[in-house]
Amino acid sequence: IWCFAGVLSTQGSGFFHNVGSSTAGGMYISNSQGSITNSSFHYNGQATAVGGAIHIVDTSLVIKSCDFFNNTAYTGGGIYLLSLSTNTLDLLHCDFHENLATHGGGLYLFNGRVNVLTSSFYDNRASGPLFTVHNTTNCSGFVSG
């Protein structure tokens, strides 16, 4: 899914084995707003891409009760967030496991506001930092193992 300057609402969806040429295999969302609920992202992305499952740019988004498993990217195996404005990403009751990236195995955040509530991060891998957070606020509620 590619969403630019729109409103995205996805519920109960599955994104499996998708590959993007230089960006996310599952979704690219830019200058938009919306929600993703009860969805699964498995085996998306590639080693040279940004955001294995989801690539988010300047978007306010709520991601709730979603599962990110075995997604791959150069930066942000599960999710890559780039925010140059005051947008907010809410991660609520999500699981990130066995995602792979050079930087930010499960999650890569650059700027913006991120709220994490009761979300689990486990067995994610990165050759650089496992979680990469730059200039981001409200990162709490992580459960890792």
Side-chain angles (χ1 to χ4, degrees), residues 69-107:
F69 173 72
N70 210 353
N71 298 289
T72 302
Y74 177 76
T75 306
I79 293 176
Y80 174 88
L81 168 71
L82 170 63
S83 183
L84 302 175
S85 59
T86 59
N87 296 299
T88 300
L89 172 63
D90 293 320
L91 293 174
L92 313 170
H93 314 292
C94 293
D95 291 323
F96 291 80
H97 53 107
E98 298 183 34
N99 297 290
L100 174 65
T102 300
H103 302 283
L107 193 56

Side-chain angles (χ1 to χ4, degrees), residues 94-96 116-124 131 140-145:
C94 293
D95 291 323
F96 291 80
V116 180
L117 177 66
T118 320
S119 293
S120 298
F121 294 80
Y122 54 96
D123 294 331
N124 296 289
F131 296 105
S140 62
F142 285 92
V143 177
S144 62

